[in-house]
Amino acid sequence: DPLVREPLMDRLDTLDTREWEAAPTITATSYGDKDAIHAPQNRDDVVGWVREATEADVELGISVALEVQDAWNAYGGNARAELLDKAADAFEDHMDEFLSLCRREAGKTVIDGVLEVREAVDFLRYYANEARRQFAGPIDLPGPTGEENRLTLAGRGIIGTITPWNFPLAIFIGTAAAALAAGNCVLAKPAGQTPLIAALAVDLCHSVGIPKEVLQLIPGDAKPGIALSSDPRIAGIAFTGSTQTAQAINRTLAAREGPIGIFIGETGGQNAMIVDSSALPEQVTRDVIASAFQSAGQRCSALRVLYLQDDIADEMLTMIRGAFEALNVGDPKHLETDVGPVIDETAKRSLDKHIAGKKRQGRNVYQKKLPRALRAGTFVAPTIVEIESIESLKRENFGPVLHVARFRADRLEQVIEDINGTGYGLTLGLHSRIDATRRLVESKARVGNLYVNRNQIGAVVESQPFGGEGMSGTGPKAGGPHYVSRFATERVVTIDTTAAGGNASLLADI
Ligand code: UN1
């Protein structure tokens, strides 16, 4: 509908002319070429500049946070919740800027941008409510007569957050918000590719009253991440990204002297979908396309391996290929674009290499043609590759590549075993109208999120807490009731209140 399309695009394009400089709160700026952030859809478009935080910046950030840590904790759950709610309002008011940055800095389509901001706002409000619910005051625990027992939750101290470019706003602010809700100070390191949107998010949080010392932006790549993880004054790290990086952070935390750091990791997946012959073909087609190709496949939840029951496989694959051919690959500034670029040159090279390898092995490979106009960006042609089994995939391929395998109905248990055998356990899709099949898959599959007769991406905060097990993460699930409490330490006070103990009068002061 052009009446809707034009004004929206006009607004976005006006914003394009604005230059975004990150405003790392920590030091003055002096930018060089290496600090430039380029748009994935057009590497010549410089979106802004950011200087990487040095070890001295991290050091300063930690010492400043330590000074306010106790005050922020004492501020209380309700007061912190109020600030997080105000931040959510500010985010909604700045939707346009966020959409522009989602597109220019992260290459997101308009619809993905809208979903991203929505999710960020949802996280802020949800964790605000959790702060009210869990941090309102001490909890009385049962005990024998003559004894008082009280449990109090408190922030652990300073939490370092290390978050990915594929949800540069939602996961960046969601992780920070949970740690803040629990009474921690946060040193927040966004991905090296997407610091500008993080800088805007942090600025807005400060503008509504979250103290600058309490939430600090630490821009940069691996180096500041290592500086955060290796400092024993950081109480723990909350991380979303690759399994390999999670393992490296864990090793760094383990090697520290002093306090034992906590670690929350949300990592990769080798996500499958199982489709049996009772499934509805149109529904399967729609859900496969969304799960594999929305966000250019750059979601840890995305579908990587589609298992089709052999007697419907040819027909299903024909339909899926039809819908696949209709996908629009292009610049995300056009509303009709379904698949935008991948994040950078490194990602493109690794995906192209994987696809070339499958072609060399003589696999059936269906690939969309990329328009020449897209040469200036890091685009990967959406691809479907036929394979024998999930076991042949050595690692996660984080992009618009869907693998398809076939199975015989009497081998379903083996398929589930093979999927479990990858060691990952994030999302699994199932399309089946047979109850017994659903129960079988539900009981055997070791995954964090199982989606039945629908797509397997876009977990909704509060309704679908998200996260995996095994090589896919530690839990607790983001956007779920146990997440915020992981950032808290529990303190129990036990008092002998008997007259014989002589302590009855103490209680009055507590
Ligand atoms: C990620 O891609 O790093 O359900 C995790 C979804 C998203 C995935 C976030 N919540 O698609």
Side-chain angles (χ1 to χ4, degrees), residues 213-237:
E213 299 87 346
V214 166
L215 173 63
Q216 301 179 44
L217 180 72
I218 304 291
D221 270 313
K223 269 197 223 152
I226 293 167
L228 285 173
S229 320
S230 52
D231 194 310
R233 292 170 299 172
I234 298 280
I237 298 285

mmCIF file with all atom_site columns, all heavy atoms in Angstrom, residues 213-237:
data_model
loop_
_atom_site.group_PDB
_atom_site.id
_atom_site.type_symbol
_atom_site.label_atom_id
_atom_site.label_alt_id
_atom_site.label_comp_id
_atom_site.label_asym_id
_atom_site.label_entity_id
_atom_site.label_seq_id
_atom_site.pdbx_PDB_ins_code
_atom_site.Cartn_x
_atom_site.Cartn_y
_atom_site.Cartn_z
_atom_site.occupancy
_atom_site.B_iso_or_equiv
_atom_site.pdbx_formal_charge
_atom_site.auth_seq_id
_atom_site.auth_comp_id
_atom_site.auth_asym_id
_atom_site.auth_atom_id
_atom_site.pdbx_PDB_model_num
ATOM 1   N N   . GLU A 1 213 ? 27.364 6.246   35.865 1.00 0.00 ? 213 GLU A N   1
ATOM 2   C CA  . GLU A 1 213 ? 28.312 5.310   36.484 1.00 0.00 ? 213 GLU A CA  1
ATOM 3   C C   . GLU A 1 213 ? 27.723 3.903   36.533 1.00 0.00 ? 213 GLU A C   1
ATOM 4   O O   . GLU A 1 213 ? 28.445 2.922   36.568 1.00 0.00 ? 213 GLU A O   1
ATOM 5   C CB  . GLU A 1 213 ? 28.628 5.741   37.926 1.00 0.00 ? 213 GLU A CB  1
ATOM 6   C CG  . GLU A 1 213 ? 29.268 7.100   38.054 1.00 0.00 ? 213 GLU A CG  1
ATOM 7   C CD  . GLU A 1 213 ? 28.244 8.241   38.138 1.00 0.00 ? 213 GLU A CD  1
ATOM 8   O OE1 . GLU A 1 213 ? 27.045 8.011   37.830 1.00 0.00 ? 213 GLU A OE1 1
ATOM 9   O OE2 . GLU A 1 213 ? 28.642 9.355   38.500 1.00 0.00 ? 213 GLU A OE2 1
ATOM 10  N N   . VAL A 1 214 ? 26.392 3.833   36.585 1.00 0.00 ? 214 VAL A N   1
ATOM 11  C CA  . VAL A 1 214 ? 25.712 2.542   36.770 1.00 0.00 ? 214 VAL A CA  1
ATOM 12  C C   . VAL A 1 214 ? 25.647 1.754   35.467 1.00 0.00 ? 214 VAL A C   1
ATOM 13  O O   . VAL A 1 214 ? 25.780 0.532   35.452 1.00 0.00 ? 214 VAL A O   1
ATOM 14  C CB  . VAL A 1 214 ? 24.289 2.785   37.349 1.00 0.00 ? 214 VAL A CB  1
ATOM 15  C CG1 . VAL A 1 214 ? 23.421 1.542   37.235 1.00 0.00 ? 214 VAL A CG1 1
ATOM 16  C CG2 . VAL A 1 214 ? 24.385 3.236   38.801 1.00 0.00 ? 214 VAL A CG2 1
ATOM 17  N N   . LEU A 1 215 ? 25.448 2.452   34.364 1.00 0.00 ? 215 LEU A N   1
ATOM 18  C CA  . LEU A 1 215 ? 25.413 1.790   33.051 1.00 0.00 ? 215 LEU A CA  1
ATOM 19  C C   . LEU A 1 215 ? 26.430 2.469   32.153 1.00 0.00 ? 215 LEU A C   1
ATOM 20  O O   . LEU A 1 215 ? 26.297 3.647   31.831 1.00 0.00 ? 215 LEU A O   1
ATOM 21  C CB  . LEU A 1 215 ? 24.012 1.888   32.435 1.00 0.00 ? 215 LEU A CB  1
ATOM 22  C CG  . LEU A 1 215 ? 23.886 1.386   30.992 1.00 0.00 ? 215 LEU A CG  1
ATOM 23  C CD1 . LEU A 1 215 ? 24.205 -0.100  30.884 1.00 0.00 ? 215 LEU A CD1 1
ATOM 24  C CD2 . LEU A 1 215 ? 22.483 1.656   30.441 1.00 0.00 ? 215 LEU A CD2 1
ATOM 25  N N   . GLN A 1 216 ? 27.458 1.730   31.757 1.00 0.00 ? 216 GLN A N   1
ATOM 26  C CA  . GLN A 1 216 ? 28.541 2.314   30.951 1.00 0.00 ? 216 GLN A CA  1
ATOM 27  C C   . GLN A 1 216 ? 28.731 1.519   29.667 1.00 0.00 ? 216 GLN A C   1
ATOM 28  O O   . GLN A 1 216 ? 28.695 0.293   29.665 1.00 0.00 ? 216 GLN A O   1
ATOM 29  C CB  . GLN A 1 216 ? 29.847 2.299   31.735 1.00 0.00 ? 216 GLN A CB  1
ATOM 30  C CG  . GLN A 1 216 ? 29.784 3.063   33.054 1.00 0.00 ? 216 GLN A CG  1
ATOM 31  C CD  . GLN A 1 216 ? 31.120 2.995   33.793 1.00 0.00 ? 216 GLN A CD  1
ATOM 32  O OE1 . GLN A 1 216 ? 32.172 3.158   33.201 1.00 0.00 ? 216 GLN A OE1 1
ATOM 33  N NE2 . GLN A 1 216 ? 31.062 2.743   35.087 1.00 0.00 ? 216 GLN A NE2 1
ATOM 34  N N   . LEU A 1 217 ? 28.952 2.259   28.605 1.00 0.00 ? 217 LEU A N   1
ATOM 35  C CA  . LEU A 1 217 ? 29.198 1.626   27.301 1.00 0.00 ? 217 LEU A CA  1
ATOM 36  C C   . LEU A 1 217 ? 30.689 1.339   27.154 1.00 0.00 ? 217 LEU A C   1
ATOM 37  O O   . LEU A 1 217 ? 31.516 2.224   27.347 1.00 0.00 ? 217 LEU A O   1
ATOM 38  C CB  . LEU A 1 217 ? 28.744 2.567   26.185 1.00 0.00 ? 217 LEU A CB  1
ATOM 39  C CG  . LEU A 1 217 ? 28.932 2.047   24.764 1.00 0.00 ? 217 LEU A CG  1
ATOM 40  C CD1 . LEU A 1 217 ? 27.931 0.940   24.470 1.00 0.00 ? 217 LEU A CD1 1
ATOM 41  C CD2 . LEU A 1 217 ? 28.783 3.176   23.748 1.00 0.00 ? 217 LEU A CD2 1
ATOM 42  N N   . ILE A 1 218 ? 31.003 0.107   26.790 1.00 0.00 ? 218 ILE A N   1
ATOM 43  C CA  . ILE A 1 218 ? 32.401 -0.281  26.539 1.00 0.00 ? 218 ILE A CA  1
ATOM 44  C C   . ILE A 1 218 ? 32.494 -0.760  25.089 1.00 0.00 ? 218 ILE A C   1
ATOM 45  O O   . ILE A 1 218 ? 32.328 -1.945  24.803 1.00 0.00 ? 218 ILE A O   1
ATOM 46  C CB  . ILE A 1 218 ? 32.823 -1.430  27.499 1.00 0.00 ? 218 ILE A CB  1
ATOM 47  C CG1 . ILE A 1 218 ? 32.618 -1.046  28.962 1.00 0.00 ? 218 ILE A CG1 1
ATOM 48  C CG2 . ILE A 1 218 ? 34.271 -1.847  27.243 1.00 0.00 ? 218 ILE A CG2 1
ATOM 49  C CD1 . ILE A 1 218 ? 33.552 0.028   29.482 1.00 0.00 ? 218 ILE A CD1 1
ATOM 50  N N   . PRO A 1 219 ? 32.724 0.149   24.149 1.00 0.00 ? 219 PRO A N   1
ATOM 51  C CA  . PRO A 1 219 ? 32.745 -0.286  22.750 1.00 0.00 ? 219 PRO A CA  1
ATOM 52  C C   . PRO A 1 219 ? 34.038 -1.017  22.394 1.00 0.00 ? 219 PRO A C   1
ATOM 53  O O   . PRO A 1 219 ? 35.047 -0.843  23.062 1.00 0.00 ? 219 PRO A O   1
ATOM 54  C CB  . PRO A 1 219 ? 32.649 1.040   21.981 1.00 0.00 ? 219 PRO A CB  1
ATOM 55  C CG  . PRO A 1 219 ? 33.087 2.093   22.926 1.00 0.00 ? 219 PRO A CG  1
ATOM 56  C CD  . PRO A 1 219 ? 32.971 1.579   24.317 1.00 0.00 ? 219 PRO A CD  1
ATOM 57  N N   . GLY A 1 220 ? 33.972 -1.848  21.366 1.00 0.00 ? 220 GLY A N   1
ATOM 58  C CA  . GLY A 1 220 ? 35.180 -2.524  20.904 1.00 0.00 ? 220 GLY A CA  1
ATOM 59  C C   . GLY A 1 220 ? 34.938 -3.985  20.571 1.00 0.00 ? 220 GLY A C   1
ATOM 60  O O   . GLY A 1 220 ? 33.822 -4.479  20.694 1.00 0.00 ? 220 GLY A O   1
ATOM 61  N N   . ASP A 1 221 ? 36.018 -4.654  20.164 1.00 0.00 ? 221 ASP A N   1
ATOM 62  C CA  . ASP A 1 221 ? 35.925 -6.065  19.789 1.00 0.00 ? 221 ASP A CA  1
ATOM 63  C C   . ASP A 1 221 ? 36.316 -6.972  20.960 1.00 0.00 ? 221 ASP A C   1
ATOM 64  O O   . ASP A 1 221 ? 35.814 -6.792  22.047 1.00 0.00 ? 221 ASP A O   1
ATOM 65  C CB  . ASP A 1 221 ? 36.815 -6.325  18.564 1.00 0.00 ? 221 ASP A CB  1
ATOM 66  C CG  . ASP A 1 221 ? 36.044 -6.116  17.268 1.00 0.00 ? 221 ASP A CG  1
ATOM 67  O OD1 . ASP A 1 221 ? 34.922 -6.637  17.177 1.00 0.00 ? 221 ASP A OD1 1
ATOM 68  O OD2 . ASP A 1 221 ? 36.556 -5.426  16.371 1.00 0.00 ? 221 ASP A OD2 1
ATOM 69  N N   . ALA A 1 222 ? 37.235 -7.897  20.684 1.00 0.00 ? 222 ALA A N   1
ATOM 70  C CA  . ALA A 1 222 ? 37.582 -8.890  21.711 1.00 0.00 ? 222 ALA A CA  1
ATOM 71  C C   . ALA A 1 222 ? 38.331 -8.283  22.908 1.00 0.00 ? 222 ALA A C   1
ATOM 72  O O   . ALA A 1 222 ? 38.086 -8.665  24.051 1.00 0.00 ? 222 ALA A O   1
ATOM 73  C CB  . ALA A 1 222 ? 38.413 -10.002 21.087 1.00 0.00 ? 222 ALA A CB  1
ATOM 74  N N   . LYS A 1 223 ? 39.222 -7.322  22.634 1.00 0.00 ? 223 LYS A N   1
ATOM 75  C CA  . LYS A 1 223 ? 40.125 -6.853  23.707 1.00 0.00 ? 223 LYS A CA  1
ATOM 76  C C   . LYS A 1 223 ? 39.399 -6.346  24.954 1.00 0.00 ? 223 LYS A C   1
ATOM 77  O O   . LYS A 1 223 ? 39.697 -6.795  26.060 1.00 0.00 ? 223 LYS A O   1
ATOM 78  C CB  . LYS A 1 223 ? 41.052 -5.768  23.161 1.00 0.00 ? 223 LYS A CB  1
ATOM 79  C CG  . LYS A 1 223 ? 42.352 -6.337  22.626 1.00 0.00 ? 223 LYS A CG  1
ATOM 80  C CD  . LYS A 1 223 ? 43.383 -5.222  22.489 1.00 0.00 ? 223 LYS A CD  1
ATOM 81  C CE  . LYS A 1 223 ? 44.118 -5.363  21.188 1.00 0.00 ? 223 LYS A CE  1
ATOM 82  N NZ  . LYS A 1 223 ? 44.613 -4.090  20.667 1.00 0.00 ? 223 LYS A NZ  1
ATOM 83  N N   . PRO A 1 224 ? 38.457 -5.390  24.805 1.00 0.00 ? 224 PRO A N   1
ATOM 84  C CA  . PRO A 1 224 ? 37.773 -4.950  26.028 1.00 0.00 ? 224 PRO A CA  1
ATOM 85  C C   . PRO A 1 224 ? 36.941 -6.068  26.662 1.00 0.00 ? 224 PRO A C   1
ATOM 86  O O   . PRO A 1 224 ? 36.750 -6.084  27.882 1.00 0.00 ? 224 PRO A O   1
ATOM 87  C CB  . PRO A 1 224 ? 36.876 -3.802  25.558 1.00 0.00 ? 224 PRO A CB  1
ATOM 88  C CG  . PRO A 1 224 ? 36.949 -3.765  24.084 1.00 0.00 ? 224 PRO A CG  1
ATOM 89  C CD  . PRO A 1 224 ? 38.104 -4.586  23.636 1.00 0.00 ? 224 PRO A CD  1
ATOM 90  N N   . GLY A 1 225 ? 36.483 -7.028  25.843 1.00 0.00 ? 225 GLY A N   1
ATOM 91  C CA  . GLY A 1 225 ? 35.751 -8.179  26.390 1.00 0.00 ? 225 GLY A CA  1
ATOM 92  C C   . GLY A 1 225 ? 36.646 -9.007  27.288 1.00 0.00 ? 225 GLY A C   1
ATOM 93  O O   . GLY A 1 225 ? 36.239 -9.443  28.377 1.00 0.00 ? 225 GLY A O   1
ATOM 94  N N   . ILE A 1 226 ? 37.888 -9.178  26.855 1.00 0.00 ? 226 ILE A N   1
ATOM 95  C CA  . ILE A 1 226 ? 38.844 -9.950  27.661 1.00 0.00 ? 226 ILE A CA  1
ATOM 96  C C   . ILE A 1 226 ? 39.198 -9.181  28.929 1.00 0.00 ? 226 ILE A C   1
ATOM 97  O O   . ILE A 1 226 ? 39.283 -9.744  30.022 1.00 0.00 ? 226 ILE A O   1
ATOM 98  C CB  . ILE A 1 226 ? 40.112 -10.270 26.833 1.00 0.00 ? 226 ILE A CB  1
ATOM 99  C CG1 . ILE A 1 226 ? 39.754 -11.235 25.695 1.00 0.00 ? 226 ILE A CG1 1
ATOM 100 C CG2 . ILE A 1 226 ? 41.212 -10.859 27.708 1.00 0.00 ? 226 ILE A CG2 1
ATOM 101 C CD1 . ILE A 1 226 ? 40.807 -11.394 24.624 1.00 0.00 ? 226 ILE A CD1 1
ATOM 102 N N   . ALA A 1 227 ? 39.368 -7.849  28.776 1.00 0.00 ? 227 ALA A N   1
ATOM 103 C CA  . ALA A 1 227 ? 39.692 -7.028  29.957 1.00 0.00 ? 227 ALA A CA  1
ATOM 104 C C   . ALA A 1 227 ? 38.587 -7.137  31.009 1.00 0.00 ? 227 ALA A C   1
ATOM 105 O O   . ALA A 1 227 ? 38.860 -7.257  32.207 1.00 0.00 ? 227 ALA A O   1
ATOM 106 C CB  . ALA A 1 227 ? 39.899 -5.573  29.542 1.00 0.00 ? 227 ALA A CB  1
ATOM 107 N N   . LEU A 1 228 ? 37.328 -7.144  30.558 1.00 0.00 ? 228 LEU A N   1
ATOM 108 C CA  . LEU A 1 228 ? 36.205 -7.267  31.495 1.00 0.00 ? 228 LEU A CA  1
ATOM 109 C C   . LEU A 1 228 ? 36.212 -8.635  32.179 1.00 0.00 ? 228 LEU A C   1
ATOM 110 O O   . LEU A 1 228 ? 36.077 -8.741  33.400 1.00 0.00 ? 228 LEU A O   1
ATOM 111 C CB  . LEU A 1 228 ? 34.872 -7.110  30.755 1.00 0.00 ? 228 LEU A CB  1
ATOM 112 C CG  . LEU A 1 228 ? 34.442 -5.711  30.316 1.00 0.00 ? 228 LEU A CG  1
ATOM 113 C CD1 . LEU A 1 228 ? 33.185 -5.800  29.445 1.00 0.00 ? 228 LEU A CD1 1
ATOM 114 C CD2 . LEU A 1 228 ? 34.165 -4.824  31.528 1.00 0.00 ? 228 LEU A CD2 1
ATOM 115 N N   . SER A 1 229 ? 36.364 -9.695  31.373 1.00 0.00 ? 229 SER A N   1
ATOM 116 C CA  . SER A 1 229 ? 36.245 -11.057 31.916 1.00 0.00 ? 229 SER A CA  1
ATOM 117 C C   . SER A 1 229 ? 37.381 -11.383 32.873 1.00 0.00 ? 229 SER A C   1
ATOM 118 O O   . SER A 1 229 ? 37.215 -12.189 33.783 1.00 0.00 ? 229 SER A O   1
ATOM 119 C CB  . SER A 1 229 ? 36.256 -12.093 30.800 1.00 0.00 ? 229 SER A CB  1
ATOM 120 O OG  . SER A 1 229 ? 35.515 -11.657 29.698 1.00 0.00 ? 229 SER A OG  1
ATOM 121 N N   . SER A 1 230 ? 38.566 -10.791 32.645 1.00 0.00 ? 230 SER A N   1
ATOM 122 C CA  . SER A 1 230 ? 39.709 -11.215 33.455 1.00 0.00 ? 230 SER A CA  1
ATOM 123 C C   . SER A 1 230 ? 39.851 -10.408 34.737 1.00 0.00 ? 230 SER A C   1
ATOM 124 O O   . SER A 1 230 ? 40.701 -10.703 35.553 1.00 0.00 ? 230 SER A O   1
ATOM 125 C CB  . SER A 1 230 ? 40.995 -11.158 32.622 1.00 0.00 ? 230 SER A CB  1
ATOM 126 O OG  . SER A 1 230 ? 41.105 -9.896  32.022 1.00 0.00 ? 230 SER A OG  1
ATOM 127 N N   . ASP A 1 231 ? 39.015 -9.406  34.947 1.00 0.00 ? 231 ASP A N   1
ATOM 128 C CA  . ASP A 1 231 ? 39.132 -8.589  36.157 1.00 0.00 ? 231 ASP A CA  1
ATOM 129 C C   . ASP A 1 231 ? 38.242 -9.148  37.273 1.00 0.00 ? 231 ASP A C   1
ATOM 130 O O   . ASP A 1 231 ? 37.022 -9.170  37.127 1.00 0.00 ? 231 ASP A O   1
ATOM 131 C CB  . ASP A 1 231 ? 38.736 -7.135  35.840 1.00 0.00 ? 231 ASP A CB  1
ATOM 132 C CG  . ASP A 1 231 ? 39.170 -6.196  36.949 1.00 0.00 ? 231 ASP A CG  1
ATOM 133 O OD1 . ASP A 1 231 ? 38.874 -6.496  38.130 1.00 0.00 ? 231 ASP A OD1 1
ATOM 134 O OD2 . ASP A 1 231 ? 39.819 -5.179  36.636 1.00 0.00 ? 231 ASP A OD2 1
ATOM 135 N N   . PRO A 1 232 ? 38.847 -9.582  38.377 1.00 0.00 ? 232 PRO A N   1
ATOM 136 C CA  . PRO A 1 232 ? 38.045 -10.206 39.448 1.00 0.00 ? 232 PRO A CA  1
ATOM 137 C C   . PRO A 1 232 ? 37.052 -9.258  40.115 1.00 0.00 ? 232 PRO A C   1
ATOM 138 O O   . PRO A 1 232 ? 36.180 -9.709  40.851 1.00 0.00 ? 232 PRO A O   1
ATOM 139 C CB  . PRO A 1 232 ? 39.096 -10.697 40.456 1.00 0.00 ? 232 PRO A CB  1
ATOM 140 C CG  . PRO A 1 232 ? 40.373 -10.055 40.075 1.00 0.00 ? 232 PRO A CG  1
ATOM 141 C CD  . PRO A 1 232 ? 40.281 -9.569  38.673 1.00 0.00 ? 232 PRO A CD  1
ATOM 142 N N   . ARG A 1 233 ? 37.145 -7.954  39.844 1.00 0.00 ? 233 ARG A N   1
ATOM 143 C CA  . ARG A 1 233 ? 36.139 -7.035  40.405 1.00 0.00 ? 233 ARG A CA  1
ATOM 144 C C   . ARG A 1 233 ? 34.836 -7.089  39.615 1.00 0.00 ? 233 ARG A C   1
ATOM 145 O O   . ARG A 1 233 ? 33.837 -6.530  40.029 1.00 0.00 ? 233 ARG A O   1
ATOM 146 C CB  . ARG A 1 233 ? 36.702 -5.611  40.439 1.00 0.00 ? 233 ARG A CB  1
ATOM 147 C CG  . ARG A 1 233 ? 37.843 -5.453  41.445 1.00 0.00 ? 233 ARG A CG  1
ATOM 148 C CD  . ARG A 1 233 ? 38.520 -4.124  41.281 1.00 0.00 ? 233 ARG A CD  1
ATOM 149 N NE  . ARG A 1 233 ? 39.102 -4.004  39.941 1.00 0.00 ? 233 ARG A NE  1
ATOM 150 C CZ  . ARG A 1 233 ? 39.633 -2.880  39.448 1.00 0.00 ? 233 ARG A CZ  1
ATOM 151 N NH1 . ARG A 1 233 ? 39.633 -1.787  40.188 1.00 0.00 ? 233 ARG A NH1 1
ATOM 152 N NH2 . ARG A 1 233 ? 40.146 -2.842  38.237 1.00 0.00 ? 233 ARG A NH2 1
ATOM 153 N N   . ILE A 1 234 ? 34.861 -7.754  38.458 1.00 0.00 ? 234 ILE A N   1
ATOM 154 C CA  . ILE A 1 234 ? 33.620 -7.986  37.703 1.00 0.00 ? 234 ILE A CA  1
ATOM 155 C C   . ILE A 1 234 ? 32.984 -9.264  38.258 1.00 0.00 ? 234 ILE A C   1
ATOM 156 O O   . ILE A 1 234 ? 33.607 -10.330 38.245 1.00 0.00 ? 234 ILE A O   1
ATOM 157 C CB  . ILE A 1 234 ? 33.925 -8.150  36.194 1.00 0.00 ? 234 ILE A CB  1
ATOM 158 C CG1 . ILE A 1 234 ? 34.549 -6.883  35.623 1.00 0.00 ? 234 ILE A CG1 1
ATOM 159 C CG2 . ILE A 1 234 ? 32.675 -8.570  35.420 1.00 0.00 ? 234 ILE A CG2 1
ATOM 160 C CD1 . ILE A 1 234 ? 33.589 -5.765  35.290 1.00 0.00 ? 234 ILE A CD1 1
ATOM 161 N N   . ALA A 1 235 ? 31.750 -9.149  38.746 1.00 0.00 ? 235 ALA A N   1
ATOM 162 C CA  . ALA A 1 235 ? 31.123 -10.287 39.428 1.00 0.00 ? 235 ALA A CA  1
ATOM 163 C C   . ALA A 1 235 ? 30.714 -11.400 38.460 1.00 0.00 ? 235 ALA A C   1
ATOM 164 O O   . ALA A 1 235 ? 30.533 -12.550 38.868 1.00 0.00 ? 235 ALA A O   1
ATOM 165 C CB  . ALA A 1 235 ? 29.896 -9.806  40.203 1.00 0.00 ? 235 ALA A CB  1
ATOM 166 N N   . GLY A 1 236 ? 30.569 -11.064 37.196 1.00 0.00 ? 236 GLY A N   1
ATOM 167 C CA  . GLY A 1 236 ? 30.196 -12.103 36.244 1.00 0.00 ? 236 GLY A CA  1
ATOM 168 C C   . GLY A 1 236 ? 29.973 -11.529 34.868 1.00 0.00 ? 236 GLY A C   1
ATOM 169 O O   . GLY A 1 236 ? 29.925 -10.307 34.683 1.00 0.00 ? 236 GLY A O   1
ATOM 170 N N   . ILE A 1 237 ? 29.859 -12.443 33.904 1.00 0.00 ? 237 ILE A N   1
ATOM 171 C CA  . ILE A 1 237 ? 29.675 -12.044 32.511 1.00 0.00 ? 237 ILE A CA  1
ATOM 172 C C   . ILE A 1 237 ? 28.389 -12.676 31.987 1.00 0.00 ? 237 ILE A C   1
ATOM 173 O O   . ILE A 1 237 ? 28.150 -13.877 32.163 1.00 0.00 ? 237 ILE A O   1
ATOM 174 C CB  . ILE A 1 237 ? 30.860 -12.527 31.636 1.00 0.00 ? 237 ILE A CB  1
ATOM 175 C CG1 . ILE A 1 237 ? 32.195 -11.901 32.085 1.00 0.00 ? 237 ILE A CG1 1
ATOM 176 C CG2 . ILE A 1 237 ? 30.585 -12.259 30.158 1.00 0.00 ? 237 ILE A CG2 1
ATOM 177 C CD1 . ILE A 1 237 ? 32.405 -10.448 31.718 1.00 0.00 ? 237 ILE A CD1 1
#
